[in-house]
Amino acid sequence: DIQMTQSPSSLSASVGGRVTITCRASQSISTYLNWYQQKPGKAPKLLIYSASSLQSGVPSRFSGFGSGTDFTLTISSLQPEDSASYYCQQSYSTPYTFGQGTKLEIK
Amino acid sequence: EVQLVESGGGLIQPGGSLRLSCAASGFTVSSNYMSWVRQAPGKGLQWVSVIYSGGRTDYADSVKGRFTISRDNSKNTLYLQMNSLRAEDTAVYYCARVATVVRGIITHQYGMDVWGQGTTVTVSS
């Protein structure tokens, strides 16, 4: 199975700031990497697919980068509504594993 | 409107069975890859199962042999039959559509783009 390791597990940032979340795969997954946002009590929402493609309707302050084993999700111009948990997920091979999540707090 | 609505969750004793349903609207379940994902209380997301448009299925090792994913094309509904339930199966269960694009003979997956609201399964005596 492909293991997905996210870091950090939690972080805090200010409105208007910028954060980067890292996701590392235990083996190469090309660009089969997706990012999701989840708010408490809600279903996850797809933000980025194929490592760097922005899902329709997602603000352009979200961006993804990477290929192979190392990937990043960057959120710029942070807004209060960006407070959420973020998960990476590989869709290269089953089981389609998720990272353990990163909880983002907006100060 | 593209939508998924889950139902069927509840409190069940260890060893029991439960069937979750996921009714789709706005798109055809049988033409898409469909997945189940779960989230234990206070924990992260865990992929559970997928059914491909051709009917092939796959499962996480933790549920293989106990859970069965299926679909009813006439009802445009996805199911998850869960048998021999354990306390560690306690979670919110989400169904999701997998976005795909076919290029040549390869179907590329582009993440789970439509999610249901989730249904809660509690396994406890």
Side-chain angles (χ1 to χ4, degrees):
Chain A
D1 296 2
I2 299 173
Q3 309 303 318
M4 305 302 294
T5 304
Q6 266 182 255
S7 61
S9 57
S10 65
L11 74 164
S12 181
S14 300
V15 172
R18 170 178 162 137
V19 298
T20 296
I21 299 169
T22 297
C23 181
R24 175 164 288 175
S26 59
Q27 66 184 72
S28 177
I29 57 170
S30 183
T31 57
Y32 288 92
L33 191 283
N34 312 301
W35 290 97
Y36 301 86
Q37 176 193 65
Q38 187 182 33
K39 297 183 178 180
K42 300 294 186 182
K45 172 187 173 182
L46 180 64
L47 298 175
I48 301 283
Y49 62 91
S50 296
S52 60
S53 296
L54 194 66
Q55 174 70 356
S56 176
V58 174
S60 59
R61 63 178 183 274
F62 291 89
S63 63
F65 182 80
S67 68
T69 60
D70 294 314
F71 303 88
T72 58
L73 171 70
T74 297
I75 315 171
S76 56
S77 301
L78 284 165
Q79 300 299 305
E81 60 265 30
D82 298 334
S83 180
S85 293
Y86 294 84
Y87 296 89
C88 62
Q89 180 233 354
Q90 62 85 13
S91 51
Y92 181 80
S93 66
T94 56
Y96 298 125
T97 40
F98 288 88
Q100 77 275 23
T102 295
K103 189 171 184 179
L104 172 62
E105 177 197 11
I106 306 299
K107 291 182 284 192
Chain B
E1 181 190 5
V2 173
Q3 193 175 11
L4 292 168
V5 178
E6 297 106 334
S7 60
L11 174 63
I12 187 76
Q13 291 189 340
S17 297
L18 210 55
R19 188 179 79 159
L20 305 183
S21 299
C22 171
S25 55
F27 71 98
T28 303
V29 165
S30 62
S31 299
N32 285 270
Y33 292 9
M34 299 293 297
S35 269
W36 287 96
V37 174
R38 69 184 180 183
Q39 187 169 36
K43 302 297 184 183
L45 301 171
Q46 181 188 24
W47 177 83
V48 172
S49 182
V50 64
I51 183 166
Y52 300 102
S53 50
R56 187 169 67 89
T57 60
D58 209 344
Y59 301 90
D61 284 347
S62 57
V63 307
K64 200 172 291 184
R66 300 188 299 124
F67 289 13
T68 302
I69 189 172
S70 64
R71 65 193 182 205
D72 184 328
N73 297 345
S74 66
K75 296 182 178 178
N76 205 30
T77 297
L78 177 74
Y79 299 102
L80 186 68
Q81 177 67 43
M82 304 186 296
N83 299 330
S84 303
L85 282 161
R86 307 166 179 167
E88 54 265 35
D89 296 319
T90 294
V92 175
Y93 285 74
Y94 297 100
C95 61
R97 183 181 75 177
V98 181
T100 57
V101 170
V102 178
R103 293 203 178 110
I105 61 170
I106 297 175
T107 300
H108 298 269
Q109 298 188 42
Y110 292 133
M112 291 177 265
D113 65 341
V114 180
W115 293 70
Q117 84 285 0
T119 187
T120 300
V121 173
T122 303
V123 184
S124 174
S125 54

